[in-house]
Amino acid sequence: MIRLAPLALLVFAADPAPRLPRENLLLYRAADGTAAEVKTVADWEKRRAEVVRGMESVMGKFPGADRRGPLDLRIESETDAGSYVRRLVTYSSTPGGRVPAWLLVPKTALDGKKKAPAVLALHPTDNTIGHDVVVGLGGKANRAYAAELAERGYVVLAPSYPLLAKYQPDLKALGFESGTMKAVWDNSRGLDLLESLPYVEGKKFAAIGHSLGGHNSVYAAVFDPRLVAVVSSCGLDSYSDYYRGDPKNWEPERGWCQTRYMRKLADYKGRLADIPFDFHEMVGALAPRHVLIVAPTRDSNFRADSVDRIAAAARPVFRLYGHPDRLRVEHPECEHDFPTDMREAAYKLFDSVLKP
């Protein structure tokens, strides 16, 4: 006689629902688990929520409001930089964790006559001087966008990126699963700081970054809607296209899989198509905000043609909101750089969005 196990003891392993296509953002997962066509903003918000869940499955959870304790701003040093004051500051991002940052304040704002708009300036990879590069204190040319924005009348906060140069927080002790999410949270708390300053105008901000700062800007803006304009220079292509999918870049502590980024991405080696989020979706998640992506034709880090595919996938979401023109891609004829004309285009965008 064949004895059947009680029904309650039978366990069937359900296959996880397949990832929705990164190239078609006008699909969302309906209540029954099937793919349905996005027809309204409310439909898109369901797809967006799934994208965010995918990001958090790799990056770790975006902290809740209970982690927004006192900022305890401290000014460590101050330098007269001509039209603005450059302050080295630290602020409390999480209990027990302080973030070093440059805070650039135009003198016209300090004198109390007129409030100024504010920008996050996120630095590229530099394991020697870190955030110093964006305020013009060394490093490569075409990277001092924080200083240039301050000269144009913006209050600028340029925080350090975790696990680079002198900023070496203990991610695990502070409750973070990735350097990426730690940076996102530091950036969000940086916006809290800017909001608290009496000389800063309003509660809408912009973010700008090159390379590491380019994708850091996108990640931060997905989680913080106060960033209404985002400029990413040489900061992204599809994960599947990264260095043409070379498997060696998906080993632990290589490429995107470094602890300072997202160590869990190494789990997707050999199946990059299964990564539950990509820049197609993250750029789409920024709609209907203003986005400028600078993708040089000869960038050896990130492929310009991949950026075009990302923008093509994301633009229908901007169109859904009635603002397809707010997603813009530029292809300067250069290598991994942020040339003058592209920085000027970024500053003009910020002027149009943040200045009355």
Side-chain angles (χ1 to χ4, degrees):
M1 177 184 293
I2 299 175
R3 295 184 179 274
L4 298 177
L7 184 61
L9 298 180
L10 292 175
V11 178
F12 296 95
D15 291 333
R19 183 203 197 289
L20 291 172
R22 53 178 51 76
E23 300 87 2
N24 184 357
L25 302 192
L26 296 188
L27 290 176
Y28 74 99
R29 203 176 305 280
D32 63 0
T34 61
E37 183 182 353
V38 169
K39 296 181 179 180
T40 66
V41 169
D43 292 340
W44 159 248
E45 287 174 347
K46 295 173 185 176
R47 173 69 182 272
R48 188 186 192 280
E50 183 167 332
V51 172
V52 170
R53 288 194 296 271
M55 295 174 72
E56 290 184 321
S57 72
V58 173
M59 300 176 180
K61 291 285 188 179
F62 183 68
D66 60 310
R67 301 290 296 277
R68 294 188 188 274
L71 289 161
D72 187 25
L73 175 65
R74 300 176 189 173
I75 300 175
E76 310 293 344
S77 67
E78 180 171 303
T79 302
D80 188 323
S83 64
Y84 64 93
V85 172
R86 183 176 67 241
R87 293 171 172 170
L88 181 62
V89 303
T90 62
Y91 59 93
S92 179
S93 172
T94 53
R98 298 193 65 80
V99 182
W102 288 110
L103 178 62
L104 312 184
V105 187
K107 292 179 179 177
T108 53
L110 278 178
D111 64 17
K113 294 180 180 178
K114 185 179 180 181
K115 292 186 176 183
V119 176
L120 276 181
L122 305 179
H123 67 85
T125 303
D126 192 307
N127 210 10
T128 303
I129 64 173
H131 62 157
D132 289 1
V133 67
V134 296
V135 298
L137 296 179
K140 295 181 179 180
N142 294 333
R143 305 293 188 268
Y145 36 88
E148 292 170 349
L149 282 162
E151 289 169 353
R152 294 177 73 103
Y154 288 91
V155 174
V156 184
L157 185 71
S160 292
Y161 188 91
L163 304 184
L164 281 176
K166 297 178 182 179
Y167 184 36
Q168 298 292 319
D170 185 332
L171 299 182
K172 185 175 181 179
L174 293 171
F176 290 90
E177 296 182 35
S178 69
T180 294
M181 184 52 74
K182 179 66 167 78
V184 167
W185 183 245
D186 288 351
N187 295 336
S188 186
R189 295 293 279 147
L191 296 183
D192 292 345
L193 174 60
L194 290 171
E195 273 193 0
S196 75
L197 299 174
Y199 45 78
V200 167
E201 176 68 41
K203 296 185 177 182
K204 295 181 179 180
F205 308 100
I208 184 172
H210 174 74
S211 196
L212 162 65
H215 44 260
N216 191 8
S217 296
V218 172
Y219 295 149
V222 170
F223 287 97
D224 201 313
R226 291 174 293 180
L227 291 170
V228 297
V230 179
V231 174
S232 174
S233 168
C234 299
L236 57 92
D237 65 1
S238 172
Y239 294 129
S240 295
D241 291 330
Y242 181 64
Y243 283 103
R244 301 189 180 278
D246 189 339
K248 71 181 181 184
N249 291 312
W250 296 92
E251 297 283 349
E253 302 306 330
R254 294 289 301 270
W256 290 111
C257 306
Q258 297 175 68
T259 299
R260 70 169 65 117
Y261 306 127
M262 293 166 278
R263 173 64 180 75
K264 286 185 178 179
L265 280 180
D267 297 342
Y268 290 91
K269 179 183 177 181
R271 53 188 190 98
L272 302 183
D274 293 337
I275 297 174
F277 62 99
D278 207 334
F279 282 101
H280 312 64
E281 293 140 314
M282 289 184 284
V283 172
L286 303 185
R289 291 171 280 172
H290 298 263
V291 180
L292 170 61
I293 302 174
V294 178
T297 57
R298 300 195 301 275
D299 187 352
S300 60
N301 291 51
F302 300 107
R303 294 172 55 182
D305 61 326
S306 182
V307 172
D308 286 336
R309 290 189 289 275
I310 287 167
R315 189 163 281 111
V317 182
F318 285 78
R319 189 175 296 115
L320 183 69
Y321 282 94
H323 296 288
D325 56 314
R326 289 187 180 178
L327 174 57
R328 176 180 166 194
V329 177
E330 294 288 345
H331 292 301
E333 294 288 340
C334 63
E335 297 179 350
H336 191 74
D337 201 3
F338 198 179
T340 301
D341 59 336
M342 292 294 97
R343 299 197 310 282
E344 185 65 26
Y347 306 157
K348 288 181 178 178
L349 172 63
F350 293 166
D351 289 347
S352 69
V353 176
L354 297 181
K355 289 186 176 180

mmCIF file of all heavy atoms in Angstrom, residues 2 49 110-111 131 145 159 161 216 218 293 301 312 336 340:
data_model
loop_
_atom_site.group_PDB
_atom_site.id
_atom_site.type_symbol
_atom_site.label_atom_id
_atom_site.label_comp_id
_atom_site.label_asym_id
_atom_site.label_seq_id
_atom_site.Cartn_x
_atom_site.Cartn_y
_atom_site.Cartn_z
ATOM 1 N N ILE A 2 0.509 2.193 -0.822
ATOM 2 C CA ILE A 2 1.235 3.457 -0.870
ATOM 3 C C ILE A 2 0.570 4.447 0.064
ATOM 4 O O ILE A 2 -0.627 4.701 -0.042
ATOM 5 C CB ILE A 2 1.266 4.025 -2.296
ATOM 6 C CG1 ILE A 2 1.980 3.056 -3.249
ATOM 7 C CG2 ILE A 2 1.950 5.392 -2.326
ATOM 8 C CD1 ILE A 2 1.946 3.478 -4.688
ATOM 9 N N ALA A 49 7.577 50.501 -7.206
ATOM 10 C CA ALA A 49 7.723 49.894 -5.882
ATOM 11 C C ALA A 49 8.457 48.560 -5.971
ATOM 12 O O ALA A 49 9.271 48.221 -5.096
ATOM 13 C CB ALA A 49 6.354 49.712 -5.239
ATOM 14 N N LEU A 110 25.287 84.058 3.352
ATOM 15 C CA LEU A 110 25.681 84.193 4.751
ATOM 16 C C LEU A 110 25.300 85.549 5.338
ATOM 17 O O LEU A 110 25.042 85.646 6.543
ATOM 18 C CB LEU A 110 27.191 83.996 4.891
ATOM 19 C CG LEU A 110 27.705 82.548 4.949
ATOM 20 C CD1 LEU A 110 29.217 82.543 5.029
ATOM 21 C CD2 LEU A 110 27.099 81.802 6.132
ATOM 22 N N ASP A 111 25.275 86.580 4.492
ATOM 23 C CA ASP A 111 24.982 87.908 5.038
ATOM 24 C C ASP A 111 23.486 88.110 5.321
ATOM 25 O O ASP A 111 23.074 89.167 5.809
ATOM 26 C CB ASP A 111 25.501 89.022 4.124
ATOM 27 C CG ASP A 111 24.831 89.060 2.751
ATOM 28 O OD1 ASP A 111 23.760 88.450 2.582
ATOM 29 O OD2 ASP A 111 25.382 89.711 1.846
ATOM 30 N N HIS A 131 36.569 63.481 -1.235
ATOM 31 C CA HIS A 131 35.704 64.597 -1.628
ATOM 32 C C HIS A 131 36.443 65.907 -1.853
ATOM 33 O O HIS A 131 35.855 66.864 -2.344
ATOM 34 C CB HIS A 131 34.581 64.783 -0.610
ATOM 35 C CG HIS A 131 35.046 65.135 0.775
ATOM 36 N ND1 HIS A 131 34.225 65.780 1.675
ATOM 37 C CD2 HIS A 131 36.230 64.945 1.412
ATOM 38 C CE1 HIS A 131 34.871 65.971 2.802
ATOM 39 N NE2 HIS A 131 36.084 65.462 2.665
ATOM 40 N N TYR A 145 33.361 70.602 -9.580
ATOM 41 C CA TYR A 145 32.009 71.133 -9.823
ATOM 42 C C TYR A 145 31.372 71.700 -8.559
ATOM 43 O O TYR A 145 30.515 72.578 -8.643
ATOM 44 C CB TYR A 145 31.105 70.086 -10.484
ATOM 45 C CG TYR A 145 31.278 68.650 -10.068
ATOM 46 C CD1 TYR A 145 30.594 68.113 -8.982
ATOM 47 C CD2 TYR A 145 32.105 67.787 -10.803
ATOM 48 C CE1 TYR A 145 30.717 66.789 -8.627
ATOM 49 C CE2 TYR A 145 32.247 66.460 -10.448
ATOM 50 C CZ TYR A 145 31.564 65.955 -9.355
ATOM 51 O OH TYR A 145 31.706 64.637 -9.005
ATOM 52 N N PRO A 159 29.569 65.479 0.528
ATOM 53 C CA PRO A 159 29.940 64.475 1.538
ATOM 54 C C PRO A 159 30.955 63.473 1.018
ATOM 55 O O PRO A 159 31.066 63.237 -0.186
ATOM 56 C CB PRO A 159 28.607 63.791 1.848
ATOM 57 C CG PRO A 159 27.805 63.936 0.590
ATOM 58 C CD PRO A 159 28.222 65.253 -0.021
ATOM 59 N N TYR A 161 32.395 59.686 0.408
ATOM 60 C CA TYR A 161 31.785 58.393 0.114
ATOM 61 C C TYR A 161 32.383 57.353 1.058
ATOM 62 O O TYR A 161 33.603 57.318 1.268
ATOM 63 C CB TYR A 161 32.033 57.990 -1.341
ATOM 64 C CG TYR A 161 31.251 56.754 -1.746
ATOM 65 C CD1 TYR A 161 29.983 56.877 -2.297
ATOM 66 C CD2 TYR A 161 31.764 55.478 -1.537
ATOM 67 C CE1 TYR A 161 29.239 55.751 -2.632
ATOM 68 C CE2 TYR A 161 31.034 54.351 -1.860
ATOM 69 C CZ TYR A 161 29.780 54.491 -2.415
ATOM 70 O OH TYR A 161 29.035 53.378 -2.731
ATOM 71 N N ASN A 216 25.946 57.356 -7.769
ATOM 72 C CA ASN A 216 25.535 57.717 -6.417
ATOM 73 C C ASN A 216 24.379 58.720 -6.467
ATOM 74 O O ASN A 216 23.418 58.633 -5.686
ATOM 75 C CB ASN A 216 26.738 58.303 -5.663
ATOM 76 C CG ASN A 216 26.513 58.475 -4.175
ATOM 77 O OD1 ASN A 216 25.518 58.041 -3.616
ATOM 78 N ND2 ASN A 216 27.458 59.141 -3.534
ATOM 79 N N VAL A 218 22.099 58.988 -8.852
ATOM 80 C CA VAL A 218 20.885 58.288 -9.279
ATOM 81 C C VAL A 218 20.312 57.465 -8.126
ATOM 82 O O VAL A 218 19.105 57.520 -7.834
ATOM 83 C CB VAL A 218 21.165 57.397 -10.500
ATOM 84 C CG1 VAL A 218 19.961 56.518 -10.830
ATOM 85 C CG2 VAL A 218 21.536 58.255 -11.712
ATOM 86 N N ILE A 293 22.001 62.934 -18.350
ATOM 87 C CA ILE A 293 23.026 61.891 -18.333
ATOM 88 C C ILE A 293 24.088 62.248 -19.367
ATOM 89 O O ILE A 293 23.775 62.419 -20.546
ATOM 90 C CB ILE A 293 22.429 60.508 -18.654
ATOM 91 C CG1 ILE A 293 21.325 60.158 -17.651
ATOM 92 C CG2 ILE A 293 23.524 59.439 -18.631
ATOM 93 C CD1 ILE A 293 20.589 58.868 -17.977
ATOM 94 N N ASN A 301 34.752 52.997 -19.203
ATOM 95 C CA ASN A 301 34.086 52.410 -18.031
ATOM 96 C C ASN A 301 32.638 52.028 -18.325
ATOM 97 O O ASN A 301 32.179 50.953 -17.941
ATOM 98 C CB ASN A 301 34.099 53.388 -16.857
ATOM 99 C CG ASN A 301 35.476 53.605 -16.275
ATOM 100 O OD1 ASN A 301 36.411 53.892 -17.003
ATOM 101 N ND2 ASN A 301 35.603 53.465 -14.967
ATOM 102 N N ALA A 312 16.093 55.000 -23.726
ATOM 103 C CA ALA A 312 14.954 54.604 -24.557
ATOM 104 C C ALA A 312 13.917 53.841 -23.737
ATOM 105 O O ALA A 312 12.707 53.977 -23.948
ATOM 106 C CB ALA A 312 15.432 53.747 -25.728
ATOM 107 N N HIS A 336 36.562 59.186 -20.361
ATOM 108 C CA HIS A 336 35.863 59.197 -19.062
ATOM 109 C C HIS A 336 36.104 60.545 -18.384
ATOM 110 O O HIS A 336 36.949 60.681 -17.493
ATOM 111 C CB HIS A 336 36.389 58.041 -18.207
ATOM 112 C CG HIS A 336 35.596 57.757 -16.966
ATOM 113 N ND1 HIS A 336 34.375 57.138 -16.987
ATOM 114 C CD2 HIS A 336 35.868 58.016 -15.661
ATOM 115 C CE1 HIS A 336 33.926 57.002 -15.742
ATOM 116 N NE2 HIS A 336 34.814 57.548 -14.920
ATOM 117 N N THR A 340 34.003 70.847 -19.834
ATOM 118 C CA THR A 340 33.466 72.149 -19.436
ATOM 119 C C THR A 340 32.064 72.394 -19.969
ATOM 120 O O THR A 340 31.185 72.864 -19.245
ATOM 121 C CB THR A 340 34.405 73.273 -19.902
ATOM 122 O OG1 THR A 340 35.701 73.072 -19.311
ATOM 123 C CG2 THR A 340 33.886 74.636 -19.490
#
